[in-house]
């Protein structure tokens, strides 16, 4: 396979996952912002911070829902906005058209300019509907790839991009929780803290799966363990790294060669396996999340280097 085609498939999957991740961040921000005193805690800044773009908003100013919706959903100049991600995913798809099924292409192409017609006021009014539309587009694309694409190296590059971006999504959502809680540690264990942690589960569609594993008990360390370490939940960091290891091993077989990315992903799989229940909180949630984000960014660069992207 040409490295350019592999790169298009890898980034197409990443952009689709990122669009969904950003939609989920907006959902989580909305749920947290309705809590009493939210304007004092600047909940929306924590959401923007999780995307790595806090510098776009001056320190000391309150980030409003309108700011977040405009920047994270509609802003064509923000490369990680939902609008930008969907446009870039479609551009990548056009360049790798022969590797896609008709259903995959239609999922990317249907209504691809929908967000162009919205201003921030309309987007705010229809935010739940637009978020559902984004999630449906991404899930339709994902289902089309799962049900119809050949299981060749192109599919492996697609799944690598998806798993890498999904791991980042989970880590970023945990980072939102950390930054929301940081200024007011006295609420730990209270009703607000409980609502914020269950909002993380809700944003990752993990509420029912968590209940199946832990029953009706919701604690910060159990939720963190579930989202970081549970190898059966498809949005957990451990599950995503298991998928990355599997796909990269398949690519090593296709190309009859291994690279630094194969060692990095295996190191991360082993490190996650060694973590015991509750250990993330003992070590530090922020430190664990930041290490995970650092390793995920590093792995993305190593995959690009190994397969000559760009």
């Amino acid at each position: 396979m040409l490295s350019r085609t592999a790169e298009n498939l890898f980034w197409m999957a990443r952009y689709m996952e990122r669009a969904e991740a950003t939609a989920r961040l907006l959902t989580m921000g909305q749920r947290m912002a309705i809590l009493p005193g939210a304007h004092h805690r600047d909940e929306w800044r924590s959401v923007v911070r999780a995307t790595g773009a806090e510098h776009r908003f001056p320190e000391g100013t309150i980030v409003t829902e309108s700011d977040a919706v405009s920047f994270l959903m509609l802003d064509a100049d923000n490369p990680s906005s939902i609008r930008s991600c969907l446009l870039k995913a479609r551009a990548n798809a056009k360049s790798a058209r022969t590797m896609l099924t008709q259903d995959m292409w239609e999922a990317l192409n249907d209504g691809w300019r929908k967000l162009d017609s919205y201003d921030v006021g309309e987007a705010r009014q229809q935010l739940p509907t637009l978020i559902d539309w984004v999630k449906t587009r991404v899930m339709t694309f994902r289902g089309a790839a799962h049900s119809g694409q050949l299981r060749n190296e192109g599919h492996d590059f697609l799944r690598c991009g998806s798993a890498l971006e999904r791991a980042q999504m989970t880590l970023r959502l945990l980072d939102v929780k950390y930054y929301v809680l940081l200024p007011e540690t006295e609420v730990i264990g209270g009703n607000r803290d409980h609502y914020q942690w269950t909002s993380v589960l809700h944003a990752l569609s993990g509420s029912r799966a968590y209940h199946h594993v832990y029953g009706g008990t919701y604690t910060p360390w159990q939720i963190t363990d579930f989202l970081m370490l549970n190898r059966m939940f498809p949005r957990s960091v451990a599950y995503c790294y298991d998928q990355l290891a599997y796909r990269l091993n398949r690519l090593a077989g296709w190309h009859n060669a291994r690279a630094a990315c194969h060692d990095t992903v295996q190191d991360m799989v082993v490190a996650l396996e060694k973590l015991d229940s509750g250990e993330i909180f003992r070590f530090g949630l922020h430190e664990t999340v930041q290490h995970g984000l650092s390793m995920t960014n590093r792995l993305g660069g190593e995959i690009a280097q190994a397969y000559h992207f760009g």
Side-chain angles (χ1 to χ4, degrees):
M1 175 181 287
L2 294 174
S3 60
R4 181 63 178 168
T5 302
E7 182 178 13
N8 283 324
L9 291 168
F10 178 79
W11 276 104
M12 176 178 60
R14 289 200 69 173
Y15 284 131
M16 291 299 280
E17 284 286 337
R18 190 174 298 178
E20 184 184 11
T22 305
R24 290 177 180 275
L25 277 169
L26 286 168
T27 297
M28 186 172 171
Q30 246 193 348
R31 286 173 63 87
M32 289 186 173
I34 65 175
L35 291 172
H39 64 286
H40 296 302
R41 298 189 306 276
D42 204 358
E43 306 278 20
W44 286 108
R45 179 176 292 277
S46 69
V47 173
V48 173
R49 180 187 279 131
T51 69
E54 187 191 9
H55 62 279
R56 295 286 296 268
F57 298 92
E59 193 65 42
T61 61
I62 297 293
V63 179
T64 66
E65 181 179 348
S66 292
D67 294 331
V69 170
S70 176
F71 182 66
L72 296 178
M73 178 171 279
L74 303 177
D75 192 347
D77 295 326
N78 173 15
S80 293
S81 73
I82 294 172
R83 181 182 176 189
S84 294
C85 286
L86 294 179
L87 292 175
K88 289 178 181 179
R90 184 179 181 275
N92 279 277
K94 285 181 68 177
S95 299
R97 182 70 179 86
T98 57
M99 299 296 295
L100 308 183
T101 67
Q102 182 64 27
D103 287 339
M104 290 171 70
W105 171 249
E106 288 177 0
L108 283 162
N109 200 45
D110 183 28
W112 66 284
R113 298 192 69 91
K114 180 181 178 73
L115 295 179
D116 292 1
S117 61
Y118 282 84
D119 61 30
V120 65
E122 293 170 327
R124 276 191 67 197
Q125 285 183 337
Q126 300 184 42
L127 189 58
T129 300
L130 288 175
I131 286 172
D132 285 344
W133 176 81
V134 173
K135 290 162 66 175
T136 299
R137 293 265 55 78
V138 176
M139 287 187 280
T140 301
F141 170 80
R142 192 182 295 133
H146 179 76
S147 62
Q149 192 180 34
L150 288 173
R151 268 35 177 186
N152 53 19
E153 60 178 312
H155 186 74
D156 289 327
F157 279 114
L158 189 84
R159 295 293 294 273
C160 273
S162 178
L164 188 71
E165 195 68 34
R166 187 175 289 188
Q168 281 196 336
M169 174 181 72
T170 299
L171 289 163
R172 285 170 181 161
L173 284 167
L174 285 169
D175 217 27
V176 171
K177 179 64 186 84
Y178 169 79
Y179 278 113
V180 165
L181 187 60
L182 185 63
E184 45 174 340
T185 54
E186 71 273 8
V187 305
I188 297 175
N191 290 335
R192 184 185 299 160
D193 187 44
H194 172 86
Y195 185 85
Q196 288 173 345
W197 277 110
T198 54
S199 292
V200 178
L201 285 175
H202 177 81
L204 289 167
S205 299
S207 299
R208 186 161 296 183
Y210 176 89
H211 185 79
H212 182 78
V213 175
Y214 290 103
T217 304
Y218 292 89
T219 65
W221 48 92
Q222 285 177 333
I223 293 173
T224 301
D225 284 352
F226 180 72
L227 296 178
M228 289 288 296
L229 306 179
N230 189 289
R231 306 194 106 81
M232 293 184 289
F233 180 56
R235 295 189 182 278
S236 78
V237 177
Y239 183 95
C240 291
Y241 265 90
D242 286 346
Q243 286 293 303
L244 281 162
Y246 174 70
R247 297 296 168 182
L248 286 172
N249 282 334
R250 276 176 54 91
L251 287 170
W254 290 112
H255 292 262
N256 196 28
R258 296 180 68 84
C261 58
H262 296 90
D263 295 331
T264 296
V265 74
Q266 191 57 42
D267 288 345
M268 193 65 174
V269 167
V270 171
L272 289 166
E273 285 177 343
K274 289 181 178 179
L275 283 175
D276 295 326
S277 177
E279 193 169 350
I280 291 171
F281 260 66
R282 289 194 295 272
F283 175 67
L285 174 60
H286 181 58
E287 290 75 13
T288 302
V289 167
Q290 288 302 309
H291 176 69
L293 287 170
S294 175
M295 292 295 288
T296 305
N297 290 332
R298 172 182 162 185
L299 181 60
E302 289 176 347
I303 292 172
Q305 185 176 23
Y307 296 103
H308 312 292
F309 294 172

